[in-house]
Amino acid sequence: MDLFNSALGKNITFVHPEYFIISGLSGIPNIKHYYLFLFFVYIVSVLGNTAVMAVIYLDHNLRTPKYVAVFNLAFVDLFGNSALVPKVLDVFLFNHHRIPYNDCLTYLFFCYTCLSMQSFNLVALSYDRLVAIIFPLHYQVKVTHRLMLSLVASFWVFVIIAVLIAVGLITRLSICESVVVNSYFCDHGQIYRLSCNDHFPNYVLSCLYPLLLFWLPLVFILVSYLYIGCTLAKVATFQQGLKAFKTCIGHLSLVAIYFIPLLITFTLMEKIHPNARIINLSLTSVFPPMLNPIIYVLQTQEIKESLKRLLKIRGKSKITMKKITPM
């Protein structure tokens, strides 16, 4: 606790600037086209994830533990993109580069919370696939609504506490080197490096959190699919194994889309141009939320059948209303 109470009982004043200046993506020709592309991605993401949440809410057949995780995935994607993209467009497209200090920390909190929850949502879905394929006869007993809700809630609590700790440690820094943040949002790593007092705790978190929030979920997902593959190879025919593994293709696609850009960026952090790093991370933040409802959700048979039922019910209700309405 000494790290959090280092100023307790001492006459220490932390220097907090009035604002930060977001200055990423500078010097790139025709960069406004990229911002318009982000706006298009955002609109598609909003429409897709809103549709997914509406279908799951309206269709009682989808009130299963699996779709608790899917609904949370759509909610996080919608919330995360809404927290990030409009502000990015406001900063860079409309040249509002100054962000007040408290607003910047709030922006950081929501962006990192949603980005981290994406990886844990993939963990919840991989657990669902693991039990469904390895223990199909015990699936309804092992994967219940209570278990899935508890799992999702525990992920939220863990991520929120972790990000709050990071934000709290930033408030213990005196920012006097500069107020210019070379990123597309209020980036934790870029902000703590601007301090002129000891930022070792922040440095420790910047090394620890990628392991806890990204690498650990990725290891769990890879191990679960390795176990699935080994089990299917032992007990199933090739056709049965292929049929079972097809149910995982959408999830594996999302895992690749989310994790590969992050791993490339973190591995080559010092070797790639800052603008390339920023574009890569920004695309990693906005692309999975757009593709999730297209690749994973809207391609599943349950969602397709649900959409057909809802459209059929809507069509019948329109016909009934026309018959009831007097001429």
Side-chain angles (χ1 to χ4, degrees):
M1 295 298 292
D2 290 337
L3 294 176
F4 299 95
N5 300 308
S6 59
L8 194 62
K10 300 178 182 179
N11 188 19
I12 297 178
T13 302
F14 297 105
V15 179
H16 294 163
E18 293 185 13
Y19 56 83
F20 287 105
I21 298 176
I22 309 299
S23 68
L25 299 175
S26 58
I28 302 178
N30 301 318
I31 190 61
K32 287 188 177 181
H33 296 159
Y34 178 67
Y35 303 141
L36 294 176
F37 172 72
L38 287 182
F39 178 71
F40 169 77
V41 170
Y42 173 65
I43 294 299
V44 174
S45 173
V46 169
L47 294 176
N49 287 293
T50 301
V52 168
M53 294 170 65
V55 169
I56 295 174
Y57 177 77
L58 294 173
D59 192 344
H60 293 277
N61 295 318
L62 297 180
R63 304 288 178 84
T64 61
K66 172 185 175 182
Y67 285 98
V68 171
V70 173
F71 186 92
N72 187 62
L73 176 69
F75 171 76
V76 170
D77 290 342
L78 178 63
F79 186 53
N81 263 6
S82 297
L84 177 67
V85 177
K87 190 61 180 178
V88 169
L89 297 178
D90 180 59
V91 169
F92 294 104
L93 197 58
F94 299 103
N95 295 320
H96 297 155
H97 294 275
R98 293 188 178 186
I99 300 181
Y101 178 83
N102 289 331
D103 292 353
C104 193
L105 296 188
T106 304
Y107 188 25
L108 182 155
F109 170 78
F110 284 117
C111 288
Y112 272 101
T113 298
C114 294
L115 185 64
S116 301
M117 272 304 299
Q118 287 184 36
S119 66
F120 285 104
N121 278 325
L122 295 175
V123 168
L125 291 169
S126 69
Y127 173 76
D128 175 84
R129 289 297 84 206
L130 177 67
V131 177
I133 294 174
I134 303 300
F135 308 104
L137 299 179
H138 303 282
Y139 175 78
Q140 292 184 347
V141 177
K142 291 180 177 292
V143 182
T144 62
H145 283 89
R146 182 176 181 179
L147 174 68
M148 190 59 73
L149 286 170
S150 300
L151 190 64
V152 170
S154 64
F155 287 156
W156 273 107
V157 171
F158 174 72
V159 168
I160 288 174
I161 291 176
V163 179
L164 280 177
I165 291 173
V167 173
L169 286 176
I170 285 181
T171 63
R172 314 291 290 178
L173 298 177
S174 293
I175 308 297
C176 49
E177 295 291 336
S178 174
V179 294
V180 179
V181 179
N182 186 24
S183 185
Y184 64 100
F185 75 114
C186 293
D187 194 337
H188 173 265
Q190 298 296 321
I191 290 177
Y192 84 73
R193 291 184 177 91
L194 301 177
S195 65
C196 52
N197 60 336
D198 181 28
H199 59 247
F200 181 72
N202 306 81
Y203 170 75
V204 171
L205 287 188
S206 70
C207 297
L208 179 63
Y209 277 11
L211 295 176
L212 294 177
L213 302 178
F214 301 113
W215 282 102
L216 193 60
L218 178 60
V219 169
F220 176 86
I221 293 169
L222 293 178
V223 170
S224 67
Y225 276 107
L226 182 63
Y227 185 47
I228 289 173
C230 293
T231 303
L232 291 177
K234 292 179 181 179
V235 302
T237 65
F238 178 78
Q239 287 77 12
Q240 290 173 334
L242 186 62
K243 183 179 180 180
F245 208 75
K246 280 183 177 178
T247 63
C248 306
I249 291 177
H251 180 255
L252 285 172
S253 300
L254 297 187
V255 171
I257 291 169
Y258 177 77
F259 282 104
I260 289 176
L262 282 177
L263 297 179
I264 291 174
T265 302
F266 287 136
T267 303
L268 303 176
M269 185 70 74
E270 303 297 331
K271 299 179 181 180
I272 61 177
H273 192 275
N275 284 337
R277 175 182 61 82
I278 292 170
I279 290 176
N280 193 18
L281 286 177
S282 62
L283 290 176
T284 302
S285 301
V286 300
F287 246 81
M290 181 191 73
L291 295 177
N292 285 350
I294 298 172
I295 293 178
Y296 184 81
V297 180
L298 298 181
Q299 291 298 317
T300 58
Q301 192 63 30
E302 297 96 329
I303 292 286
K304 289 180 180 179
E305 292 176 358
S306 178
L307 285 172
K308 289 178 182 178
R309 285 195 298 268
L310 292 174
L311 291 174
K312 188 181 293 186
I313 293 172
R314 185 179 177 84
K316 287 182 178 179
S317 64
K318 285 185 176 180
I319 294 173
T320 304
M321 289 297 294
K322 286 182 180 179
K323 289 181 179 180
I324 295 174
T325 303
M327 298 298 291

